Amino acid sequence: MKGLKVFFFYLAVLSLFRLIFMAGLHEYLGEGSGISDVYAALLRGTRLSMQTAGGLTLVSLVPALTAHYLLPFWKKAEWGLWLSLNGLLLTALSILFVAVFPYYRLFHANYNQMVFNGVNDDIEALFWTFVQQYNLPVRLTGALLLAYALYRVLKWLLETREELIQPQGWPLPLRYLLRTAYLGLLYLVSLLGIFGGSLGWQTAVDWENAGVTKDEFLNEAILDSPQAIYRAYELNRRMLACNGLNFTTEDIRLLAAYISGRPADSDNLDDYLHRKAQGATVAKPRQVFVILSESLANWPLLPEYDYLPVASDLRALMKQEDADYCPAFLPNGASTVSAVTGVVTGFADANLYLTTMPESFAAPYPTAAAPQMEKMGYETNFWYAGPATWERIGAFTKAQGFSHFYSRGDFGEVPGSVWGCEDECLYAKVLEGVASDKPSFHVILNASNHSPYDVDVEAKGFPKEKVREALPENLSQDEELLRELGHYWYAQRELAKFVKEAKEKFPDSLFIIVGDHGDRYNLEKQPKTYERYGIPFIVVGRGIHKGTLLKDSAGSQIDIMPTIYELIAPQGFEYMALGSSLTTTNKKGVNYGFFITRNAIGKADTVPLVPEPLVDSLPQIDDQAMQDYCNAIRAISWYRPKYGAILDEEKLKDR
């Protein structure tokens, strides 16, 4: 019973702290935010704090229970553990709570990576800054008094008698019933504590998906102090995990020269990234859309899966006269965030966590998409189905030059899962938000085709029984596979529907459609490498035709923006890119672990490379040329974001 008391006490304290935080810093509330947004933040925060309260409870519960059973003769030990450990926790919570007010005013954020930056700073200077500028003695005294008051309340609560589960004189059946109810409550609280106010992982709330409002202040208020500290720790850990690759500056210079086709005569990497457009092949579109579709694998589009009715809308779109398709395309990495960084920055996945690196927030990289599209007169917009706080995507895309970022918090009450709103809602918001008279560039990242796969696809028309009949007999009763295929069907239908409606509303638009990654589900338990990892590259729009892309084109997500530039930019337009266009030169692609051409795919980290066929023909590659290409893409994508433009061996000494 003491454990339950402690749990609900911490939940109440964290919720009260959140309310006071909102009231004390209410001036940071956005102009468009109302009482419904505040209520949503309080509710979401309470759910998240259930996880925090569960963790804090365990700190004293586990030692106290251990003492209870191992030291039954020493009752004071158990009682002392309850009081001392919770006293320490309440002291820490109170200090964090008092400190978060000046912290937010300084950084306009709850606790984040700056905490760890401060640890590496001049400690003495920081101490005197706290004393002189932030009244450290007064604030610390206030925090300790608050901790003592909370401690006294908790002590009183723990001292109250626990009669409910041992009601003397009650009939035995009633006592058993009451104890059963108590165990049920204990089980329920355990689930809520583990899954952040949910009964399962499918709808669990954590620090990454908590920010669901349209207001940045409220999204920060959702995080209680322990969750914010954990966020800071996790982001810092990811950044520190950005291990270097084994290239010298001389290696990088030679590889940069190889990939650019110019002499290795400069120590400035940016000199090797300059490109000039050969001249537009289509009339300049007013709207340009890049759609990163969650888990949109290429295998359902292959001829050998034509019998499976899960991609008919996308197949029909690809057959249109104003569409072209490259089946030999790789994602930037194994996860969505790699796709985002590939398109937004133009760099390949090179063991760097770009969304956490300070360098990514200082200024846009020279290969970043948004500034170069603005140079051509386009307003730049990023649309995301999920919360702005996921992987810091909102802050990251804006830091990399996007003028506007829209996420689930901007869409109001819309159906969806823990990962984001349903695709049809996202596309509807995009169509509403695009001004027909203003040239604009849009990156759209959807989320429906993602576990827990909880869209009611049957209610939306998914032909489940038709798909079941088409599946091999050994898979026809696999309900999980049918649910996954249903979400692929839904995602591709809504995507094709969006393209159709957007073309009607904005006839002179250009669309690039790719998956963010593959490798989520296949029919085979051990699929071929190509079918497991490949994603489609589809281009649609006025002026596009079969043959717009090279007949032997291949690539990866760093080649998306160069392809757009070469399609629409005037001759001589200068841009910067690591990748190249599928309309002019690009016949190979590489990512974190694989290479691809029109007839071969394989792992990129073997010597020699071992190609596997995409089709029945014998796979053929120039081994040395492919190895040089892979190394060049990786070396530049590692050095330039982390160390800057100038090649300097001194920078690599302490890596």
Side-chain angles (χ1 to χ4, degrees):
M1 197 66 176
K2 285 186 177 67
L4 283 177
K5 289 180 180 181
V6 172
F7 173 84
F8 285 111
F9 175 77
Y10 278 124
L11 182 59
V13 168
L14 293 170
S15 299
L16 178 62
F17 282 1
R18 179 177 295 106
L19 193 59
I20 296 172
F21 177 82
M22 289 182 178
L25 297 172
H26 66 276
E27 65 269 23
Y28 291 96
L29 196 65
E31 291 183 4
S33 300
I35 190 65
S36 60
D37 299 300
V38 174
Y39 174 76
L42 288 172
L43 179 61
R44 191 78 165 182
T46 299
R47 291 180 61 192
L48 182 61
S49 289
M50 289 181 182
Q51 187 179 72
T52 309
L56 294 174
T57 300
L58 288 176
V59 173
S60 57
L61 177 63
V62 173
L65 280 179
T66 302
H68 178 81
Y69 288 106
L70 296 183
L71 303 170
F73 51 87
W74 192 11
K75 295 296 184 183
K76 288 186 177 180
E78 178 188 350
W79 182 244
L81 287 169
W82 280 114
L83 294 181
S84 61
L85 292 175
N86 283 300
L88 290 173
L89 289 176
L90 288 172
T91 301
L93 280 179
S94 298
I95 292 173
L96 288 172
F97 172 66
V98 171
V100 76
F101 290 88
Y103 189 94
Y104 192 92
R105 288 190 174 96
L106 180 62
F107 297 113
H108 288 190
N110 207 328
Y111 296 117
N112 56 17
Q113 275 178 280
M114 294 304 296
V115 172
F116 290 91
N117 291 349
V119 171
N120 297 320
D121 213 328
D122 187 328
I123 301 300
E124 183 178 357
L126 283 175
F127 173 77
W128 288 112
T129 300
F130 292 154
V131 171
Q132 296 169 4
Q133 187 173 349
Y134 298 109
N135 299 313
L136 177 62
V138 175
R139 292 181 184 276
L140 184 58
T141 301
L144 294 176
L145 288 173
L146 174 62
Y148 180 72
L150 292 173
Y151 170 80
R152 295 295 300 181
V153 174
L154 179 60
K155 185 173 183 290
W156 169 81
L157 189 63
L158 291 174
E159 287 174 341
T160 56
R161 294 179 61 82
E162 301 159 4
E163 299 290 348
L164 279 177
I165 60 171
Q166 292 180 336
Q168 300 299 322
W170 285 35
L172 188 61
L174 205 54
R175 278 187 281 173
Y176 279 131
L177 181 63
L178 196 57
R179 290 182 180 180
T180 301
Y182 168 73
L183 291 175
L185 176 62
L186 193 62
Y187 176 70
L188 178 62
V189 168
S190 299
L191 289 180
L192 294 175
I194 293 170
F195 296 114
S198 299
L199 300 180
W201 67 269
Q202 296 91 337
T203 55
V205 179
D206 59 31
W207 66 268
E208 287 202 90
N209 64 28
V212 295
T213 77
K214 62 187 177 184
D215 189 284
E216 291 185 11
F217 168 69
L218 291 178
N219 285 340
E220 291 296 307
I222 289 171
L223 300 179
D224 53 54
S225 291
Q227 290 285 350
I229 291 292
Y230 178 71
R231 172 184 67 174
Y233 163 77
E234 185 63 19
L235 291 175
N236 193 65
R237 183 194 64 79
R238 292 178 186 177
M239 186 185 72
L240 294 177
C242 298
N243 299 318
L245 300 179
N246 190 27
F247 294 104
T248 66
T249 53
E250 181 63 20
D251 293 334
I252 299 169
R253 183 186 299 104
L254 293 173
L255 289 167
Y258 167 78
I259 203 170
S260 65
R262 56 158 291 166
D265 56 2
S266 174
D267 285 333
N268 189 333
L269 264 183
D270 291 352
D271 291 341
Y272 302 97
L273 300 176
H274 282 283
R275 308 280 189 270
K276 283 189 178 181
Q278 296 182 16
T281 57
V282 300
K284 187 178 179 180
R286 187 167 292 272
Q287 312 295 340
V288 179
F289 299 93
V290 174
I291 304 170
L292 291 172
S293 192
E294 173 65 48
S295 301
L296 189 73
N298 189 58
W299 69 262
L301 302 173
L302 298 176
E304 52 264 44
Y305 295 99
D306 191 38
Y307 67 88
L308 197 62
V310 297
S312 54
D313 302 281
L314 202 51
R315 287 177 181 273
L317 177 64
M318 290 160 51
K319 290 178 181 177
Q320 293 177 5
E321 292 183 0
D322 63 346
D324 205 1
Y325 161 61
C326 172
F329 207 74
L330 288 174
N332 203 37
S335 62
T336 302
V337 69
S338 291
V340 172
T341 57
V343 173
V344 170
T345 71
F347 289 124
D349 189 328
N351 207 25
L352 298 178
Y353 217 104
L354 295 182
T355 60
T356 68
M357 290 171 53
E359 294 87 350
S360 299
F361 293 85
Y365 293 116
T367 53
Q372 302 193 92
M373 291 300 287
E374 285 187 351
K375 187 177 170 184
M376 281 193 283
Y378 289 95
E379 180 184 75
T380 55
N381 306 278
F382 198 106
W383 303 80
Y384 176 44
T389 49
W390 173 82
E391 295 286 0
R392 302 181 72 188
I393 187 173
F396 174 73
T397 52
K398 284 186 174 181
Q400 285 299 307
F402 278 85
S403 300
H404 306 287
F405 175 85
Y406 305 97
S407 64
R408 188 174 185 174
D410 299 297
F411 304 153
E413 290 296 323
V414 289
S417 71
V418 66
W419 291 104
C421 68
E422 293 181 359
D423 287 2
E424 59 194 278
C425 301
L426 173 64
Y427 292 137
K429 294 297 180 181
V430 174
L431 289 172
E432 290 175 13
V434 177
S436 59
D437 61 340
K438 183 184 298 184
S440 52
F441 168 64
H442 308 268
V443 177
I444 305 171
L445 176 61
N446 61 32
S448 288
N449 187 24
H450 193 295
S451 61
Y453 304 109
D454 55 1
V455 177
D456 189 354
V457 294
E458 290 183 69
K460 296 181 183 294
F462 173 53
K464 181 177 179 179
E465 295 308 315
K466 188 176 179 182
V467 174
R468 188 193 303 276
E469 292 175 6
L471 284 170
E473 186 176 351
N474 65 320
L475 298 175
S476 61
Q477 301 306 312
D478 189 336
E479 295 299 323
E480 181 178 356
L481 176 62
L482 283 165
R483 185 167 63 252
E484 292 167 342
L485 294 175
H487 282 73
Y488 188 100
W489 169 87
Y490 171 72
Q492 61 86 43
R493 186 193 72 171
E494 293 305 318
L495 195 160
K497 180 181 175 184
F498 167 74
V499 172
K500 180 176 182 295
E501 293 178 354
K503 286 169 67 176
E504 292 171 354
K505 191 173 181 180
F506 316 111
D508 57 346
S509 296
L510 177 70
F511 304 85
I512 302 291
I513 301 166
V514 297
D516 64 342
H517 55 73
D519 192 27
R520 289 302 180 266
Y521 48 83
N522 292 80
L523 298 191
E524 299 80 6
K525 298 300 181 185
Q526 296 179 325
K528 298 175 183 177
T529 302
Y530 173 51
E531 294 181 10
R532 179 176 177 181
Y533 295 105
I535 59 173
F537 179 96
I538 304 168
V539 56
V540 182
R542 181 176 291 178
I544 301 299
H545 56 85
K546 301 296 185 288
T548 293
L549 305 178
L550 296 174
K551 65 178 182 179
D552 52 356
S553 61
S556 67
Q557 286 166 339
I558 63 169
D559 303 312
I560 292 174
M561 294 311 302
T563 300
I564 292 175
Y565 302 146
E566 293 293 345
L567 280 170
I568 69 175
Q571 185 176 6
F573 174 79
E574 295 186 1
Y575 64 93
M576 296 186 71
L578 180 58
S580 55
S581 174
L582 275 68
T583 64
T584 56
T585 60
N586 211 53
K587 300 179 182 180
K588 51 186 173 292
V590 64
N591 67 5
Y592 67 103
F594 301 92
F595 67 86
I596 196 169
T597 69
R598 200 59 172 234
N599 68 1
I601 189 172
K603 293 181 178 179
D605 55 359
T606 63
V607 180
L609 300 172
V610 182
E612 303 173 23
L614 262 63
V615 291
D616 294 333
S617 61
L618 184 67
Q620 295 179 341
I621 62 167
D622 182 330
D623 187 272
Q624 189 59 54
M626 182 61 78
Q627 287 195 43
D628 289 342
Y629 178 75
C630 293
N631 287 332
I633 295 295
R634 288 174 171 178
I636 297 171
S637 296
W638 161 62
Y639 189 95
R640 181 59 180 86
K642 190 171 180 65
Y643 299 105
I646 304 303
L647 292 170
D648 183 355
E649 197 66 34
E650 289 294 318
K651 296 179 180 179
L652 304 183
K653 282 189 174 181
D654 298 325
R655 58 174 166 169

